[in-house]
Amino acid sequence: MKTAPDWNDLAYFAAIARTGGLSRAAVELGVSPATLSRRMKLFEAELSRRLFVHGAAGYTLTADGQVLFERTRTMEDAARQIALWRDAGAGRVSVRISAGTWTAQDLAENLSEYWTASAPWLPEFMYCDLDLDIARREVDIGIRNRRPEQPWVARRQIGWVDYAVYAANADVQGWIGASWSAPITPSMRWVLDRYGDAVTAKANTPHLAATLARAGIGRIVLPTFVGGRMEGLTRLSEPIADLRSEQWLVSHHEARNEAPIRAALDAITDYLKRRP
């Protein structure tokens, strides 16, 4: 008689499908990429179904893999609920938070302004170059720059983010651009559309771009809450109207009622509304 699929294999499969490859999934799960590869080959053989197409772009789901991935949503959500129940018994519950580069850095640097060790939640900041999914409870709280439309998301607008031009001094004339592998953000698109011919250096991360700007290599566009506090930079423009963006705090509509997540939502909202 056939037995049900192994729970660990299902969890391994879901992590690979969600992250798109062995390396990221291995870090998340705490196992080696070789172990994941071996387990998935055996798992596919056991199911008599091909779940992934292996290629240069990573592990892409087949049609069968997509069907199974959808069915693991309930399993992962149940696992998260059990983890919350377990952690609540221990008195501390991790609340996973994701945001854009500069907002995430700001929240981490100024954690003491809205969180103390006696709080009923433990902050867990999540960085990923993929979209982290609130529906699948990969994160509990997200800070987004536009209104989310998904029906399962609870949302509240908490303010606006303004952008301006910064440089080491007013004599700097060149601009910092994005390397070919970097995502083109609205602020970077603004630079490229207007000053693409004046780019003097490129970087593939915002932090490297800011370092180049502080070194006097070129001008950069930054959120004013970042540029105004970054040592070595001078603001050279008024806020750029075309780049002003909304800021939304989002969470799963059911998860928001869990006490630790509610406490975190209230604390983060209060901090972001007070932030200059």
Side-chain angles (χ1 to χ4, degrees):
M1 184 178 73
K2 289 186 176 181
T3 60
D6 186 281
W7 282 87
N8 286 331
D9 286 336
L10 287 167
Y12 290 169
F13 163 78
I16 297 169
R18 177 165 22 86
T19 60
L22 294 179
S23 297
R24 295 189 186 96
V27 172
E28 178 182 310
L29 296 167
V31 300
S32 70
T35 296
L36 285 182
S37 177
R38 176 177 57 81
R39 290 289 291 266
M40 285 303 97
K41 288 177 182 177
L42 292 172
F43 190 44
E44 287 180 318
E46 176 191 333
L47 296 175
S48 298
R49 295 173 185 266
R50 192 175 184 187
L51 303 176
F52 298 104
V53 176
H54 311 169
Y59 274 50
T60 303
L61 290 171
T62 64
D64 280 338
Q66 188 62 52
V67 170
L68 180 59
F69 187 41
E70 290 299 319
R71 282 159 172 70
T72 61
R73 288 179 181 270
T74 302
M75 184 192 78
E76 288 198 308
D77 188 53
R80 173 63 176 159
Q81 295 296 325
I82 292 170
L84 285 171
W85 168 77
R86 177 202 62 201
D87 294 344
R92 304 301 297 275
V93 175
S94 290
V95 174
R96 294 174 291 186
I97 304 160
S98 74
T101 298
W102 296 119
T103 296
Q105 176 177 302
D106 179 65
L107 288 171
E109 287 182 343
N110 297 286
L111 181 62
S112 62
E113 293 194 24
Y114 60 93
W115 178 85
T116 65
S118 62
W121 58 284
L122 187 71
E124 181 179 350
F125 295 99
M126 306 289 291
Y127 171 78
C128 184
D129 56 4
L130 302 171
D131 288 335
L132 293 172
D133 194 345
I134 287 177
R136 292 177 60 84
R137 304 294 295 273
E138 293 169 4
V139 292
D140 300 304
I141 295 174
I143 295 94
R144 305 288 186 256
N145 61 5
R146 59 186 180 277
R147 177 188 172 92
E149 300 300 333
Q150 298 92 333
W152 60 81
V153 168
R155 64 190 72 84
R156 69 173 96 165
Q157 185 178 359
I158 52 178
W160 299 83
V161 175
D162 285 310
Y163 293 76
V165 177
Y166 293 85
N169 56 70
D171 294 331
V172 175
Q173 295 302 312
W175 289 81
I176 308 301
S179 64
W180 69 270
S181 60
I184 302 300
T185 61
S187 59
M188 185 54 66
R189 172 56 59 196
W190 186 91
V191 170
L192 294 176
D193 287 347
R194 291 162 177 78
Y195 304 103
D197 293 340
V199 169
T200 53
K202 297 180 179 181
N204 71 342
T205 71
H207 293 100
L208 284 174
T211 298
L212 289 168
R214 293 168 67 188
I217 305 302
R219 299 185 176 197
I220 190 173
V221 173
L222 290 171
T224 54
F225 72 82
V226 173
R229 296 201 304 243
M230 191 171 289
E231 184 177 351
L233 290 181
T234 299
R235 181 165 150 176
L236 302 180
S237 78
E238 293 299 313
I240 301 167
D242 290 344
L243 293 179
R244 194 180 206 215
S245 64
E246 300 173 345
Q247 191 162 60
W248 290 82
L249 197 66
V250 300
S251 62
H252 194 280
H253 74 284
E254 294 178 354
R256 63 177 172 165
N257 296 316
E258 297 167 4
I261 295 176
R262 170 56 57 192
L265 283 167
D266 291 343
I268 293 172
T269 297
D270 179 67
Y271 169 70
L272 291 176
K273 285 185 173 182
R274 289 187 286 108
R275 185 180 66 184

